[in-house]
Amino acid sequence: MPSSRTSPSFPDSEYWDRIEKTRAAMEAEGLDAILITDPSNMAWISGYDGWSFYVHQAVLLSHEGEPVWWGRGMDAAGAMRTVFMEEDNIFGYEDFYVQNPDKHPMEDLARLVEAYGHGEQRIGVELDNYYFSAKAYQTLLKSMPKAEFVDCTGLVNWQRSIKSDTELIYMRRAADIVTAMHAKIAELAEPGMPKHRLVAEIYHTGISGVGGHWGDYPAIVPMAPSGLDATAPHLTWDDTPLRTGEATFFEIAGAHRRYHCPQSRTLFLGKPPQKYIDAEKAVEDATEAALEQAKPGNRCEDIARAFNERLATHGFIKDNRCGYSIGLSYPPDWGERTMSFRAGDRTELLPGMTFHFMPALWLDDGGIETTEPILITETGHDRLCGTPSGLVVKS
């Protein structure tokens, strides 16, 4: 272990358990090594934690020895402070590779991979993620012509599905934080308050943390659209004042040690129109029907089916997924990019899986979001947050 290492989030034994699971998945796919470039997967397998994912970086994992961290030279010091591996398994590339159209960092990674004996082997790469570019792939193909590159997108992500006891501790802390964030919104929001000032309070609460546990930065910024803007799901904020007679939904997350608990609530200033009351009742009823299916042995699609069928009895239709897996994450997304609550996803629910149940509805003049982070338990599920359900109505 590097002598300069910061306080670790997990014991070394947990990282080795993760490596064992991942190696079994690699063996099943006939992979000799994998190049992990998704920062969430890098952190999960090695402990690395830094805001360096805007440049090329990776963890090399084979079937023997420790993982190998590779990244920008100046970030090697951050690796020494955060990863569980020995310092001789940390490699940094020269800065002339950074954003240089005449060179590419993958040329350096190719030399490292060959030095570890994988130059003519079958190597997995995460082709479909935010951080591995087409140019990176082209450069690897050119630099390692004797290697066979195979898409292993999702291979590590799926190993993260069932959370350990320590991971669940961090997620429950994140849940406490987002509960406090929603309480702060309910306390402070009022007509005339500029949106950005409320968002500043949301950030302050989220990063201050709860119960002595600090808040990390969320992988997604607060979504906080009002009125007609709330007919779109992914708008953020500006300086527009909150108005009486408008709905604003807040899709936010608490985070602790990179573990996320997202949750949404909808604020209405004044008396809500009947259609909002009807939509709220429909979502609450359909949520109860859906979460009755959130138990071990059922499948992701069972939750979606129960939700959509009950929602339809109220005259509403939701044509997108109503949930997805959550856990450890980095920008730009707090989902794990594996399971979804939608028709056709037959993934079996198992104890220790965590999800953001997301039954949002977008109406013709606004939106309503009342969502819940949940944990699949041995007998059913737990709602991780204590935020009251339903519309938040303030006059």
Side-chain angles (χ1 to χ4, degrees):
M1 162 187 316
S3 59
S4 59
R5 187 179 175 192
T6 60
S7 176
S9 296
F10 301 95
D12 289 5
S13 59
E14 183 154 339
Y15 289 113
W16 283 112
D17 288 343
R18 298 170 179 182
I19 289 168
E20 182 178 358
K21 289 171 58 178
T22 305
R23 283 174 170 162
M26 290 166 58
E27 184 174 2
E29 296 295 325
L31 296 172
D32 299 298
I34 58 174
L35 293 174
I36 303 168
T37 49
D38 182 325
S40 302
N41 292 337
M42 290 178 64
W44 186 78
I45 208 80
S46 74
Y48 181 64
D49 181 23
W51 191 283
S52 55
F53 40 82
Y54 64 96
V55 294
H56 290 284
Q57 57 183 18
V59 169
L60 169 65
L61 180 68
S62 64
H63 288 281
E64 296 181 355
E66 293 183 337
V68 176
W69 182 93
W70 168 87
R72 189 178 184 180
M74 67 170 60
D75 293 316
M80 293 179 197
R81 297 281 289 165
T82 56
V83 303
F84 83 94
M85 299 93 74
E86 297 289 344
E87 187 173 336
D88 57 3
N89 283 315
I90 297 171
F91 294 88
Y93 57 81
E94 296 292 337
D95 216 63
F96 58 68
Y97 282 108
V98 176
Q99 299 171 2
N100 184 342
D102 298 322
K103 295 181 178 292
H104 199 281
M106 290 295 158
E107 298 167 6
D108 184 82
L109 179 58
R111 286 190 289 269
L112 179 65
V113 173
E114 288 189 332
Y116 271 83
H118 307 303
E120 299 183 18
Q121 292 187 331
R122 184 176 164 90
I123 302 170
V125 289
E126 297 173 316
L127 286 179
D128 192 15
N129 77 67
Y130 310 114
Y131 315 90
F132 187 71
S133 66
K135 184 67 173 181
Y137 185 50
Q138 287 181 333
T139 304
L140 281 177
L141 291 175
K142 181 179 179 180
S143 301
M144 299 181 63
K146 295 183 179 181
E148 179 187 0
F149 288 99
V150 179
D151 185 13
C152 71
T153 301
L155 184 146
V156 178
N157 304 64
W158 279 101
Q159 311 317 309
R160 294 161 43 196
S161 299
I162 297 176
K163 307 301 182 290
S164 70
D165 290 343
T166 303
E167 288 179 300
L168 290 176
I169 288 172
Y170 295 160
M171 293 197 70
R172 290 188 184 280
R173 291 174 182 174
D176 290 342
I177 292 171
V178 77
T179 299
M181 294 162 74
H182 280 294
K184 182 60 68 173
I185 294 169
E187 173 191 349
L188 296 180
E190 61 182 8
M193 184 179 194
K195 185 82 65 66
H196 70 288
R197 294 194 180 277
L198 182 55
V199 171
E201 295 291 340
I202 293 170
Y203 266 118
H204 183 269
T205 302
I207 294 173
S208 296
V210 172
H213 303 300
W214 57 278
D216 214 334
Y217 61 89
I220 301 178
V221 302
M223 305 295 174
S226 302
L228 284 174
D229 284 349
T231 62
H234 297 132
L235 301 184
T236 56
W237 69 88
D238 55 19
D239 64 348
T240 302
L242 298 172
R243 297 186 181 96
T244 299
E246 272 191 343
T248 303
F249 70 74
F250 296 88
E251 184 175 353
I252 55 180
H256 178 70
R257 291 187 179 269
R258 303 307 321 137
Y259 283 82
H260 286 64
C261 264
Q263 188 181 49
S264 304
R265 287 294 184 268
T266 302
L267 167 74
F268 200 97
L269 296 178
K271 183 179 179 180
Q274 188 62 43
K275 65 180 175 182
Y276 277 84
I277 296 173
D278 292 343
E280 175 192 19
K281 290 180 179 178
V283 168
E284 288 191 350
D285 186 34
T287 293
E288 292 302 317
L291 293 185
E292 287 178 4
Q293 303 301 314
K295 54 189 176 184
N298 280 357
R299 301 185 183 277
C300 286
E301 67 177 3
D302 294 330
I303 293 176
R305 182 185 302 110
F307 176 79
N308 289 319
E309 288 179 353
R310 183 65 62 84
L311 189 69
T313 66
H314 293 272
F316 292 94
I317 296 175
K318 181 176 173 63
D319 58 2
N320 41 55
R321 66 180 181 171
C322 62
Y324 47 84
S325 60
I326 54 172
L328 168 69
S329 204
Y330 285 80
D333 180 27
W334 55 46
E336 287 186 320
R337 298 181 293 283
T338 51
M339 298 165 277
S340 292
F341 294 155
R342 60 183 168 204
D345 192 327
R346 294 185 52 77
T347 306
E348 182 181 353
L349 302 176
L350 298 172
M353 290 180 172
T354 48
F355 296 91
H356 184 202
F357 177 65
M358 181 66 177
L361 290 179
W362 292 282
L363 309 175
D364 57 0
D365 65 346
I368 180 169
E369 289 193 9
T370 305
T371 76
E372 298 295 342
I374 63 170
L375 162 69
I376 304 300
T377 66
E378 295 289 342
T379 56
H381 71 275
D382 280 346
R383 298 192 188 202
L384 294 172
C385 293
T387 308
S389 62
L391 283 172
V392 179
V393 179
K394 294 188 71 175
S395 57

